[in-house]
Amino acid sequence: MDLHDMISLSNLLYAELLIGAIVLKSPADVTIADIRATSFCRRFSDKYIFKLLQDLIAYGIVSPKIRAESPLLFSITEFGDYYFDALSKENPDIKQLLTKIGSELA
């Protein structure tokens, strides 16, 4: 893996962390539009956010909900709660990021 691949992977993982944190800290289920409306994800396209959400669903961190006449909704899973709790205990920067995201969504 060369430097470019490492940087790309790092950016991808950080974007997944951001989106997972937004779903975690949101007071209600979120849509892709809700995620994109945050200052953290404005630069991401809907397609990119959807791809990252698919990854988070595969990891068991986020769960999709389908409603009859509304867009897909996403919520955090029990494992997602555990995952972010463990991350924030290990790394104070994650805890600060979660606090910052939570204050924007409040």
Side-chain angles (χ1 to χ4, degrees):
M1 188 177 275
D2 66 2
L3 179 61
H4 176 68
D5 291 340
M6 290 294 290
I7 291 171
S8 294
L9 181 59
S10 176
N11 290 339
L12 175 79
L13 292 172
Y14 184 70
E16 287 177 348
L17 176 73
L18 284 176
I19 290 173
I22 290 166
V23 175
L24 171 73
K25 290 300 191 174
S26 179
D29 296 342
V30 297
T31 65
I32 291 173
D34 296 331
I35 293 169
R36 192 159 189 254
T38 66
S39 63
F40 302 97
C41 295
R42 282 194 185 113
R43 68 181 188 271
F44 301 153
S45 70
D46 288 352
K47 186 176 180 180
Y48 186 64
I49 292 171
F50 184 68
K51 193 262 184 245
L52 296 175
L53 283 165
Q54 288 175 319
D55 290 346
L56 292 170
I57 291 166
Y59 304 150
I61 294 173
V62 169
S63 174
K65 294 181 180 178
I66 300 171
R67 304 265 165 100
E69 295 189 23
S70 68
L72 280 174
L73 297 171
F74 301 93
S75 62
I76 201 75
T77 63
E78 188 175 322
F79 174 70
D81 282 327
Y82 167 79
Y83 174 78
F84 279 102
D85 183 53
L87 275 180
S88 63
K89 286 179 182 173
E90 293 174 10
N91 188 333
D93 293 334
I94 300 295
K95 193 171 191 169
Q96 288 176 349
L97 177 66
L98 292 174
T99 300
K100 189 184 262 188
I101 288 171
S103 66
E104 181 176 327
L105 296 173

